Amino acid sequence: MRPLAVIGNVNVDLILGPTAPWPKAGTEIIVDHDELRVGGAAGNSALAWQALGVEFEIAANIGSDQFGRWLSEAFGHRSDKWPVRPEKTTLSVGITHPDGERTFFTTRGHLPRFSLADVFAVIEGARLQGGYALLCGSFLTDDLTEEYGKFFDWADSHGITVALDTGWPLDGWTDENCAATRAWLSRSGVALLNEVESTTLAGIADPIEAARQIKSHMPAGAIVVVKRGPDGALTIGPDGSLVSVAAPVVDVVDTIGAGDVFNAAFLAALASGEPLVSCLMAGTEVASRAISTLPRNYGRPTSLQEPLR
C-alpha cells in the first residue's frame, strides 16, 4: 500500500439539534442531540482512516487551550509534533435542521496560522515518497495556502501525488476563488470535488462534462472525482473513461463530514491499488455508514468494500 497523509484543518465540532424554525432572538430552546467531536476536513478524514485501521500521517496545528490538548489526544502519537499556536483552538458549532441541512458558527482561531513549516515539522518527504497527500481546508489555512506553490514543488520532488479538496470558500465561489482553485488543480493528481464545486468551477451544469473539463486542465494521468451525495459518485479516470456508482439508501442521522469520510475511504482503496470502481464503492459505502450511525461508525478495520447492511 502506498503511504498516505492528510494535511489541513483540524478543529473542534460541537453539533446541536435539530431545530426548526430558527429561534427568536433572546429565547432558549431544548434540542434532542448534542455531540462534541473532532472536526475539520483533515480531522474527519483522519478519524475515518484511524477507524478503518489504515496507516497514515496527519499534519495539523492546534491552539493553546484545553480544546487543543483534547484534539491532540484524539490522535495519540500522530500529533506529537503538531505545532501549538498562541491563538485559541478553532471551534465550529453546527446547528442541524430536520431537513438534513445545517448552519455553522465558526471562530477563526488557530487555523489561519497553519503554515508550510508546520507541515514539514510533521511529515518527511522521504517517508511519503510515492504516496498520496490529501490537501484540504484551503480557504481556512491562510498561511499555508499562501505557500501552496512551494508545497506542490516539495510534493513533486518526492513523487507525492496531491489529492485536493479545497472545501467551501467563506466568501463563496467568487471569480478569484475559482481561479485560485483551478491553479491548484493544475498541479494536483486527484481532484475530490462535490457536484456544486465541479459545476461551478467548470461553468457547466452537467457534472460529467464538468469533470471532463476540469481534468483537461490537470496533469496527465489525473483523476477527477465528483461526490454527489445520495446520487453516489463518479470519476473520470486517467484514460478519460467514466466510472460511476450509486450510493446505498440509508436513514441519515448526520451528514457533517460525509465528503471527508468519502475522501479517506476512496484514497485508502486507491493507495491499495484497487480499480476506480472499487475506490468509488469504498467511498460511498463508508461515508453512507458514517452518516447513518450514532455514534458514528465506519465499519470494520480494513473492510473498505464490505457491503452496507
Side-chain angles (χ1 to χ4, degrees):
M1 183 170 179
R2 296 170 67 178
L4 290 167
V6 59
I7 298 160
N9 53 320
V10 177
N11 55 263
V12 175
D13 276 356
L14 174 59
I15 314 300
L16 300 170
T19 181
W22 194 253
K24 184 179 179 180
T27 65
E28 179 179 6
I29 63 170
I30 301 297
V31 296
D32 294 330
H33 171 66
D34 71 272
E35 186 176 3
L36 182 68
R37 68 188 187 204
V38 175
N44 291 330
S45 295
L47 284 181
W49 277 339
Q50 192 164 271
L52 292 167
V54 174
E55 186 53 46
F56 69 96
E57 294 183 271
I58 175 170
N61 68 342
I62 51 176
S64 55
D65 54 15
Q66 68 271 31
F67 278 141
R69 293 188 292 273
W70 180 71
L71 288 174
S72 179
E73 291 170 359
F75 292 102
H77 69 89
R78 292 188 175 94
S79 65
D80 287 346
K81 297 180 180 179
W82 287 3
V84 179
R85 293 292 311 176
E87 293 84 3
K88 290 183 178 181
T89 298
T90 302
L91 173 65
S92 188
V93 178
I95 308 300
T96 63
H97 309 293
D99 62 359
E101 291 297 325
R102 64 262 187 171
T103 304
F104 285 102
F105 297 83
T106 304
T107 62
R108 290 188 62 80
H110 72 288
L111 288 180
R113 301 287 74 83
F114 183 50
S115 68
L116 187 61
D118 294 344
V119 175
F120 292 159
V122 178
I123 296 178
E124 295 179 9
R127 287 206 309 270
L128 195 55
Q129 184 89 26
Y132 291 95
L134 173 56
L135 182 63
C136 45
S138 305
F139 296 106
L140 300 172
T141 58
D142 298 4
D143 290 356
L144 175 60
T145 304
E146 288 182 3
E147 298 186 283
Y148 264 13
K150 293 179 181 178
F151 173 82
F152 283 111
D153 290 342
W154 169 81
D156 289 344
S157 70
H158 292 284
I160 299 166
T161 301
V162 176
L164 181 69
D165 184 347
T166 64
W168 196 268
L170 297 178
D171 54 348
W173 287 101
T174 63
D175 290 344
E176 181 180 358
N177 290 333
C178 286
T181 300
R182 293 187 192 102
W184 302 331
L185 287 169
S186 74
R187 302 196 64 182
S188 301
V190 181
L192 295 160
L193 309 170
N194 64 36
E195 188 164 343
V196 174
E197 291 165 349
S198 62
T199 56
T200 301
L201 285 170
I204 299 173
D206 181 80
I208 297 174
E209 294 309 312
R212 294 190 187 281
Q213 199 275 344
I214 291 168
K215 179 175 164 55
S216 71
H217 296 287
M218 294 178 68
I223 297 169
V224 178
V225 177
V226 180
K227 297 170 284 187
R228 308 188 67 197
D231 294 324
L234 64 87
T235 182
I236 305 297
D239 61 355
S241 60
L242 169 68
V243 180
S244 63
V245 300
V249 178
V250 297
D251 293 326
V252 175
V253 175
D254 175 9
T255 62
I256 294 172
D260 308 322
V261 175
F262 176 99
N263 293 348
F266 177 89
L267 288 174
L270 188 65
S272 296
E274 295 291 336
L276 284 178
V277 65
S278 297
C279 298
L280 288 178
M281 290 174 62
T284 54
E285 290 280 350
V286 176
S288 295
R289 179 180 283 108
I291 67 173
S292 61
T293 52
L294 183 69
R296 181 161 283 190
N297 180 275
Y298 303 91
R300 294 186 297 128
T302 70
S303 62
L304 296 179
Q305 299 178 70
E306 178 188 3
L308 185 67
R309 291 180 174 87

